[in-house]
Amino acid sequence: MTKTIKWGILSSAKIAENSMVPAIHSASNSELHAVASASGKAAETAASWKAETSYDSYEALLQDETIDAVYIPLPNALHKEWAIKAMHHGKHVLLEKPAAVTSEDIQEIREAGKETGMTWMEAFMYQFHPQHAFVKEQISQNVIGDVRRIRASFSFNLDLDSSNIRLDPELGGGSLYDVGCYCVHVSRFLLDAEPTHVFSDGRYKDGVDISSTALLTFDEADAVLDCSFQESPLNRYEVVGTKGRIEVPFAFRPDQNPNDGLGEVFVKGEDGAVTKHETFAADQFTLQIEHFSQCLLDGTAPSYTPESTHNNMKVIEALYTSQQQSSM
């Protein structure tokens, strides 16, 4: 019985090159078999990424029967099409976030998974980092009392005059889709709940939100979220309780922490003094690949479910609807 999963990658996207390719190579149960690129440089990319073979079309890669699973980092609007095609070719799918641009699209992906028997998961890599398990442990042990508020931010500076796909409404561009989705996800993840009401507003350029602010109301807590393409880099969250707070300064990209790329968690008491400071060394991309690959080898379901992916997109859709309704 095979002990490793053979991976294929659809496209030569930077997220694949910088993060997922090294993760596959470092994972104990995975190997990079092939890459497909429509740019005409598939062979060059495969050599650079140390993949065994290359294909000049996505369809050709999907026809390779030796590939067990594919990672899809295509533009957001193309996720549904190629995820469904991949599963109908007998491939399991790790789908870059957001899994699609509407909840209806995600439901179609879910149905394809059920029809084909293939496993798929949205690639919210951050949740596999051990710093978040520590945070959830502190919450469950009532260290900060009852959680009343979550604040989450994810932003960076993007050239708004560039041809970046994040700025193309036809390809699923927008800050809420790109980085705000993490803020939505972490609020649901930490509270183990779904919001009952949402409100959002955004700043737009050429049909996409370049900044968004949102309020999610849960039964016992609120989440205040913000994301942007026009602010200095920030990726953090704070959990506020009745007896203290927890701060995670590099929540979604701990590798950007100047302190050796460590995950860090600060627990503070009511007086604001730090009562615990823990650091965590881990590669969340590798942990994600190892988790998904092991699920395929064991025939078990990933910890992050299609249902949760569907629910995350329903919240994002509601936030965009709120923005449309709030515009003058």
mmCIF file of all heavy atoms in Angstrom, residues 300-322:
data_model
loop_
_atom_site.group_PDB
_atom_site.id
_atom_site.type_symbol
_atom_site.label_atom_id
_atom_site.label_comp_id
_atom_site.label_asym_id
_atom_site.label_seq_id
_atom_site.Cartn_x
_atom_site.Cartn_y
_atom_site.Cartn_z
ATOM 1 N N THR A 300 -10.005 8.772 5.794
ATOM 2 C CA THR A 300 -10.763 9.526 6.788
ATOM 3 C C THR A 300 -11.076 10.928 6.263
ATOM 4 O O THR A 300 -10.455 11.407 5.304
ATOM 5 C CB THR A 300 -9.983 9.640 8.101
ATOM 6 O OG1 THR A 300 -8.707 10.252 7.846
ATOM 7 C CG2 THR A 300 -9.761 8.271 8.718
ATOM 8 N N ALA A 301 -12.024 11.589 6.904
ATOM 9 C CA ALA A 301 -12.433 12.926 6.467
ATOM 10 C C ALA A 301 -11.512 13.988 7.058
ATOM 11 O O ALA A 301 -11.109 13.889 8.223
ATOM 12 C CB ALA A 301 -13.864 13.202 6.902
ATOM 13 N N PRO A 302 -11.156 15.014 6.289
ATOM 14 C CA PRO A 302 -10.351 16.117 6.827
ATOM 15 C C PRO A 302 -11.069 16.817 7.976
ATOM 16 O O PRO A 302 -12.299 16.814 8.060
ATOM 17 C CB PRO A 302 -10.186 17.055 5.617
ATOM 18 C CG PRO A 302 -10.395 16.182 4.426
ATOM 19 C CD PRO A 302 -11.415 15.173 4.846
ATOM 20 N N SER A 303 -10.288 17.430 8.852
ATOM 21 C CA SER A 303 -10.864 18.129 10.000
ATOM 22 C C SER A 303 -11.672 19.350 9.571
ATOM 23 O O SER A 303 -12.607 19.763 10.275
ATOM 24 C CB SER A 303 -9.756 18.558 10.966
ATOM 25 O OG SER A 303 -8.833 19.420 10.318
ATOM 26 N N TYR A 304 -11.321 19.938 8.443
ATOM 27 C CA TYR A 304 -12.061 21.097 7.916
ATOM 28 C C TYR A 304 -13.020 20.591 6.852
ATOM 29 O O TYR A 304 -12.604 20.100 5.811
ATOM 30 C CB TYR A 304 -11.089 22.134 7.366
ATOM 31 C CG TYR A 304 -11.757 23.399 6.855
ATOM 32 C CD1 TYR A 304 -12.795 24.000 7.565
ATOM 33 C CD2 TYR A 304 -11.349 23.992 5.673
ATOM 34 C CE1 TYR A 304 -13.402 25.149 7.108
ATOM 35 C CE2 TYR A 304 -11.943 25.155 5.214
ATOM 36 C CZ TYR A 304 -12.973 25.728 5.922
ATOM 37 O OH TYR A 304 -13.583 26.864 5.461
ATOM 38 N N THR A 305 -14.298 20.717 7.109
ATOM 39 C CA THR A 305 -15.317 20.049 6.307
ATOM 40 C C THR A 305 -15.870 20.924 5.179
ATOM 41 O O THR A 305 -15.847 22.154 5.259
ATOM 42 C CB THR A 305 -16.490 19.629 7.195
ATOM 43 O OG1 THR A 305 -17.158 20.822 7.689
ATOM 44 C CG2 THR A 305 -16.016 18.794 8.381
ATOM 45 N N PRO A 306 -16.432 20.290 4.143
ATOM 46 C CA PRO A 306 -17.128 21.047 3.099
ATOM 47 C C PRO A 306 -18.284 21.878 3.653
ATOM 48 O O PRO A 306 -18.562 22.972 3.158
ATOM 49 C CB PRO A 306 -17.634 19.949 2.157
ATOM 50 C CG PRO A 306 -16.643 18.844 2.303
ATOM 51 C CD PRO A 306 -16.290 18.860 3.777
ATOM 52 N N GLU A 307 -18.940 21.385 4.685
ATOM 53 C CA GLU A 307 -20.042 22.136 5.289
ATOM 54 C C GLU A 307 -19.546 23.456 5.877
ATOM 55 O O GLU A 307 -20.175 24.510 5.706
ATOM 56 C CB GLU A 307 -20.721 21.314 6.378
ATOM 57 C CG GLU A 307 -21.868 22.044 7.058
ATOM 58 C CD GLU A 307 -22.487 21.262 8.194
ATOM 59 O OE1 GLU A 307 -21.896 20.243 8.604
ATOM 60 O OE2 GLU A 307 -23.567 21.672 8.683
ATOM 61 N N SER A 308 -18.409 23.405 6.553
ATOM 62 C CA SER A 308 -17.854 24.627 7.134
ATOM 63 C C SER A 308 -17.416 25.596 6.038
ATOM 64 O O SER A 308 -17.586 26.813 6.160
ATOM 65 C CB SER A 308 -16.676 24.299 8.050
ATOM 66 O OG SER A 308 -16.235 25.452 8.730
ATOM 67 N N THR A 309 -16.837 25.055 4.959
ATOM 68 C CA THR A 309 -16.476 25.893 3.811
ATOM 69 C C THR A 309 -17.708 26.581 3.246
ATOM 70 O O THR A 309 -17.684 27.781 2.935
ATOM 71 C CB THR A 309 -15.813 25.029 2.721
ATOM 72 O OG1 THR A 309 -14.550 24.570 3.194
ATOM 73 C CG2 THR A 309 -15.604 25.820 1.440
ATOM 74 N N HIS A 310 -18.788 25.833 3.107
ATOM 75 C CA HIS A 310 -20.044 26.378 2.600
ATOM 76 C C HIS A 310 -20.553 27.493 3.513
ATOM 77 O O HIS A 310 -20.957 28.569 3.048
ATOM 78 C CB HIS A 310 -21.066 25.246 2.501
ATOM 79 C CG HIS A 310 -22.282 25.596 1.702
ATOM 80 N ND1 HIS A 310 -23.502 25.003 1.900
ATOM 81 C CD2 HIS A 310 -22.479 26.494 0.696
ATOM 82 C CE1 HIS A 310 -24.387 25.499 1.061
ATOM 83 N NE2 HIS A 310 -23.786 26.408 0.322
ATOM 84 N N ASN A 311 -20.505 27.258 4.818
ATOM 85 C CA ASN A 311 -20.985 28.258 5.772
ATOM 86 C C ASN A 311 -20.125 29.519 5.746
ATOM 87 O O ASN A 311 -20.637 30.633 5.908
ATOM 88 C CB ASN A 311 -21.007 27.669 7.179
ATOM 89 C CG ASN A 311 -22.112 26.642 7.358
ATOM 90 O OD1 ASN A 311 -23.060 26.606 6.579
ATOM 91 N ND2 ASN A 311 -21.986 25.801 8.369
ATOM 92 N N ASN A 312 -18.810 29.356 5.571
ATOM 93 C CA ASN A 312 -17.932 30.526 5.508
ATOM 94 C C ASN A 312 -18.297 31.404 4.325
ATOM 95 O O ASN A 312 -18.352 32.638 4.425
ATOM 96 C CB ASN A 312 -16.475 30.086 5.412
ATOM 97 C CG ASN A 312 -15.524 31.098 6.007
ATOM 98 O OD1 ASN A 312 -15.523 31.328 7.215
ATOM 99 N ND2 ASN A 312 -14.694 31.712 5.170
ATOM 100 N N MET A 313 -18.571 30.763 3.173
ATOM 101 C CA MET A 313 -18.930 31.535 1.992
ATOM 102 C C MET A 313 -20.296 32.192 2.144
ATOM 103 O O MET A 313 -20.516 33.306 1.635
ATOM 104 C CB MET A 313 -18.896 30.646 0.751
ATOM 105 C CG MET A 313 -19.243 31.372 -0.546
ATOM 106 S SD MET A 313 -18.342 32.935 -0.803
ATOM 107 C CE MET A 313 -16.657 32.327 -0.910
ATOM 108 N N LYS A 314 -21.220 31.558 2.857
ATOM 109 C CA LYS A 314 -22.521 32.179 3.071
ATOM 110 C C LYS A 314 -22.370 33.471 3.866
ATOM 111 O O LYS A 314 -23.084 34.455 3.610
ATOM 112 C CB LYS A 314 -23.477 31.201 3.767
ATOM 113 C CG LYS A 314 -23.976 30.094 2.848
ATOM 114 C CD LYS A 314 -25.161 29.347 3.427
ATOM 115 C CE LYS A 314 -24.791 28.471 4.582
ATOM 116 N NZ LYS A 314 -25.930 27.613 5.014
ATOM 117 N N VAL A 315 -21.439 33.487 4.820
ATOM 118 C CA VAL A 315 -21.186 34.715 5.583
ATOM 119 C C VAL A 315 -20.580 35.781 4.673
ATOM 120 O O VAL A 315 -20.998 36.951 4.704
ATOM 121 C CB VAL A 315 -20.255 34.447 6.777
ATOM 122 C CG1 VAL A 315 -19.913 35.754 7.492
ATOM 123 C CG2 VAL A 315 -20.906 33.472 7.756
ATOM 124 N N ILE A 316 -19.605 35.402 3.850
ATOM 125 C CA ILE A 316 -18.971 36.366 2.942
ATOM 126 C C ILE A 316 -19.996 36.941 1.966
ATOM 127 O O ILE A 316 -20.022 38.151 1.706
ATOM 128 C CB ILE A 316 -17.802 35.697 2.179
ATOM 129 C CG1 ILE A 316 -16.676 35.355 3.165
ATOM 130 C CG2 ILE A 316 -17.278 36.595 1.064
ATOM 131 C CD1 ILE A 316 -15.596 34.481 2.574
ATOM 132 N N GLU A 317 -20.862 36.090 1.443
ATOM 133 C CA GLU A 317 -21.931 36.563 0.555
ATOM 134 C C GLU A 317 -22.819 37.580 1.263
ATOM 135 O O GLU A 317 -23.183 38.614 0.688
ATOM 136 C CB GLU A 317 -22.800 35.388 0.105
ATOM 137 C CG GLU A 317 -22.287 34.645 -1.094
ATOM 138 C CD GLU A 317 -23.267 33.582 -1.549
ATOM 139 O OE1 GLU A 317 -23.923 32.952 -0.700
ATOM 140 O OE2 GLU A 317 -23.377 33.378 -2.767
ATOM 141 N N ALA A 318 -23.183 37.279 2.503
ATOM 142 C CA ALA A 318 -24.035 38.187 3.262
ATOM 143 C C ALA A 318 -23.342 39.520 3.505
ATOM 144 O O ALA A 318 -23.984 40.580 3.488
ATOM 145 C CB ALA A 318 -24.434 37.540 4.588
ATOM 146 N N LEU A 319 -22.024 39.488 3.706
ATOM 147 C CA LEU A 319 -21.273 40.731 3.897
ATOM 148 C C LEU A 319 -21.276 41.566 2.619
ATOM 149 O O LEU A 319 -21.436 42.793 2.668
ATOM 150 C CB LEU A 319 -19.844 40.418 4.342
ATOM 151 C CG LEU A 319 -19.703 39.804 5.736
ATOM 152 C CD1 LEU A 319 -18.249 39.413 6.000
ATOM 153 C CD2 LEU A 319 -20.206 40.758 6.814
ATOM 154 N N TYR A 320 -21.090 40.927 1.475
ATOM 155 C CA TYR A 320 -21.142 41.664 0.207
ATOM 156 C C TYR A 320 -22.543 42.223 -0.047
ATOM 157 O O TYR A 320 -22.703 43.342 -0.544
ATOM 158 C CB TYR A 320 -20.697 40.771 -0.950
ATOM 159 C CG TYR A 320 -19.197 40.768 -1.175
ATOM 160 C CD1 TYR A 320 -18.479 39.580 -1.229
ATOM 161 C CD2 TYR A 320 -18.499 41.964 -1.351
ATOM 162 C CE1 TYR A 320 -17.105 39.576 -1.438
ATOM 163 C CE2 TYR A 320 -17.130 41.969 -1.563
ATOM 164 C CZ TYR A 320 -16.438 40.773 -1.608
ATOM 165 O OH TYR A 320 -15.072 40.775 -1.821
ATOM 166 N N THR A 321 -23.574 41.453 0.301
ATOM 167 C CA THR A 321 -24.948 41.944 0.163
ATOM 168 C C THR A 321 -25.166 43.161 1.042
ATOM 169 O O THR A 321 -25.777 44.150 0.622
ATOM 170 C CB THR A 321 -25.952 40.840 0.547
ATOM 171 O OG1 THR A 321 -25.805 39.740 -0.352
ATOM 172 C CG2 THR A 321 -27.380 41.353 0.476
ATOM 173 N N SER A 322 -24.626 43.114 2.254
ATOM 174 C CA SER A 322 -24.747 44.259 3.161
ATOM 175 C C SER A 322 -24.067 45.488 2.583
ATOM 176 O O SER A 322 -24.587 46.598 2.682
ATOM 177 C CB SER A 322 -24.111 43.899 4.505
ATOM 178 O OG SER A 322 -24.154 45.004 5.398
#
